[in-house]
Amino acid sequence: MKKLNFADLYLEKIILAVALLLALAGIYLLVFSSPNRVEINNREMNPGDVPELLTAKADDLRIAINSPQQLPPISLPEHAVILASRDAARPAARASLEPIGSIGSIEGGQLQNLDPYDLPMPPLARDAVARQGTAVLELTGDDTVDQPLLRLLNVENEPFDFRYVTVGATFDLADWRNRLESGDPQVRPAWWKEVLEDVTGVYLERQELLDPAKDEWSEPVRLDPIRPLDALPPDLDVSANDDLEVQAALQAIRIEQDFYRQAPFVRVAQPYLLKDPFTELRSDDEERDLEDLFSDLDFIDKQLERIDQQIERMQGRIPPGLVDRENKHLDDRIETMDKINELIGESLLDPTLMAMPDRSAEIAAYERGQQDRRASRPQQRRDAGVSEQMMMERMMMEEQMMMAEEMAMRGGGGDRAGMMASRGSRSQFNTRSRVQPRAQPQPRRVDPRRFMSEPDEIELEPEENPDEVRVWAHDVTVEPGKTYRYRVVVTVRNPLFRQTSVPPEQKAENYDRLTLGPSEEDLHATADASSELGATVWSNPVTIQPELYYFLVGSQAKIAIVEVWRVYDGRWREAEFRVSPGDPIGGTAEIEIDEEKVALAMKADDIAVDVVSPQPGAVGGGVSELIVVSGTTGDLDARRTNAGKDVIDRIKLLNENRVNEMIEEVQDPSQFAVRGAR
């Protein structure tokens, strides 16, 4: 019998074992594991793991898109000059720069089959208001900046006085939103909602009055901004700029909305002289009330100054009656200043901060002296001098006489005008505020409730409407004596800028079109300012103040006393001249400014023809009349004391100077500067 080896002996069992192992491997692969593994990023994965990976990648992409983009340093020749000239950083309107436009996707078919979006144009700004003023240019020391401004302002010699008009208006975001929402088909909200509030510039359109009798105006002229890129023009094409320049422009628009909405002014020497266009002008009646308040303030200050002199003569012994009178005048001064602040819309002096010196020691000394005299010499009169009682009576008589004189001056217009003219520089209006504080001051006994409204009288400030964006721009090319009106054009971000999911023809028109402006239809429809629609966008006419004002303030026989005013170093300066028939009005006056004498030319074109003085004994003092002839037109005119328009013009000039003097008395006049003054 043949001997079998191990393989022959167990072959059948080996085959069965191998088959069993293969069967188990197949069962594992088919049942317990996935047969379709893929490799992603050098990593093998099961199909079931792929959705989780895609979700994670999508989250990472979303985070990256929404994160602020860090731009590399770039060189922007034009933008850099403008951005570098802004001397104060502004808070960012938005925290980050968002992408230029959508990535672009094909939805609903091929691009060539898309309908063009109905792209509206933004509305014109409405409710325009114009305010004029004077200012003095402050040079920067950089000729590349200063020389263009000097040419624009048409000034040559220091101080660089110039006239300007600031025009404010309201841009209606709700109207702009409604136009976008009413499109058919509508521009995608995801596109326009992100740029709805992006104002890119404010322009002024100006008309000049040509013929007042016919109400004839010139054609509208669009004014350039003071500096290049202060405002981006409508339909700005940036196809010639690279992507980094475009990104920088978009970033500037986003983070400096205050710059584009309210264009900065030129740098001036006295920013507080600038006018806020949204401040309501005082009426003629309010100007007269303000002048009366200033007159009252002068009177009160004179009384307080006289009391100061009386107190010095009392040598440390002050009767209670004198202190009561001082209290009364200080109370009157507080009330007067409170009314002035209300009329001018500023808080130039906080009435509640006024202090009354402690007079208790002086009053006690006076009363002790009275008691000692009564005890030692009850019936004896002093041999020399005047008794204190008589001194007090004399002081009261002096004050009553002064009050009577003041009331008499207030009673007649001509006398009152003479009183106002005699004030000179009028810098003494706030004498009390400049007196050195006495020892041991204590708070005045002022009832604080007097400066608080009752609960039912408190008027809360209305909340600002976020859909009403206040915009403004400046015109520094106005000419004295001319009359202008203005329309405000606002440019905005184009919602189709750099959008790709638009028809080819619309992409060609808007892909590089960064800004939009009002449509020609809106401009044409509002061209007539007398129409109902035009009245909503044009400002009221503003007549630029002349180079010179002059007023007849009195006369003596055939000699007229004329007061001439002109602007110098940002302020109106006045001087008196004596004019006879045949003489020109005005001349050269020596004005004291900052303790220096300045020879100032104050000569008008008009020539005196005749002077008519009132007859002696005329009722009310009579009215003087000056007949003049214009040196340019040959027209005759008459100037009278107490003659309406001239008087109110003079009152306005007086009030303006007084308000400016009060501002200069404040420790930091810059707090009254209009924002945007550079």
Side-chain angles (χ1 to χ4, degrees), residues 231-358:
L232 302 183
D235 304 317
L236 176 63
D237 189 306
V238 296
S239 58
N241 300 87
D242 59 41
D243 286 343
L244 291 179
E245 290 176 321
V246 174
Q247 288 279 10
L250 293 179
Q251 189 174 33
I253 292 170
R254 288 292 178 84
I255 68 176
E256 298 204 13
Q257 268 299 288
D258 62 331
F259 175 88
Y260 288 105
R261 294 181 180 188
Q262 298 180 345
F265 204 57
V266 298
R267 188 158 69 178
V268 295
Q270 300 120 336
Y272 61 87
L273 294 178
L274 301 183
K275 310 297 182 183
D276 187 329
F278 298 106
T279 300
E280 187 175 355
L281 289 176
R282 290 186 294 270
S283 66
D284 289 353
D285 287 341
E286 288 174 328
E287 291 285 358
R288 295 185 186 278
D289 290 343
L290 183 59
E291 187 234 10
D292 288 340
L293 289 171
F294 282 133
S295 180
D296 293 342
L297 192 64
D298 284 338
F299 171 72
I300 294 169
D301 284 340
K302 290 176 183 177
Q303 298 303 312
L304 289 170
E305 189 173 355
R306 174 167 290 186
I307 290 175
D308 284 340
Q309 295 170 357
Q310 293 172 353
I311 289 174
E312 289 179 4
R313 293 200 296 265
M314 300 302 293
Q315 298 179 350
R317 294 174 298 168
I318 305 174
L322 189 60
V323 175
D324 291 340
R325 290 167 56 210
E326 185 179 37
N327 260 330
K328 174 63 169 61
H329 288 311
L330 284 171
D331 277 336
D332 291 343
R333 195 178 199 282
I334 288 175
E335 292 180 2
T336 304
M337 280 302 307
D338 201 29
K339 293 175 182 178
I340 290 174
N341 286 337
E342 183 178 355
L343 268 179
I344 66 178
E346 298 284 2
S347 181
L348 298 182
L349 180 62
D350 186 349
T352 63
L353 296 182
M354 291 195 63
M356 172 67 185
D358 184 1

Side-chain angles (χ1 to χ4, degrees), residues 370-381:
Q370 293 290 85
Q371 293 173 359
D372 293 343
R373 276 188 293 274
R374 284 195 296 268
S376 61
R377 295 181 297 174
Q379 303 296 329
Q380 183 179 358
R381 299 182 58 183

Side-chain angles (χ1 to χ4, degrees), residues 272-273 275 348 429 570-572 655-665:
Y272 61 87
L273 294 178
K275 310 297 182 183
L348 298 182
F429 78 95
R571 297 275 299 281
W572 287 96
N655 287 343
E656 182 177 338
N657 274 1
R658 292 293 294 270
V659 170
N660 290 333
E661 287 169 5
M662 292 178 74
I663 292 176
E664 290 171 356
E665 290 285 334

Side-chain angles (χ1 to χ4, degrees), residues 234 381 401 458 624:
R381 299 182 58 183
M401 292 177 60
I458 295 177
S624 301

Side-chain angles (χ1 to χ4, degrees), residues 65-70 92-99 250-251 254-255:
I65 292 175
N66 293 329
S67 298
Q69 301 182 21
Q70 301 297 326
R94 303 184 187 180
S96 63
L97 173 64
E98 297 173 7
L250 293 179
Q251 189 174 33
R254 288 292 178 84
I255 68 176

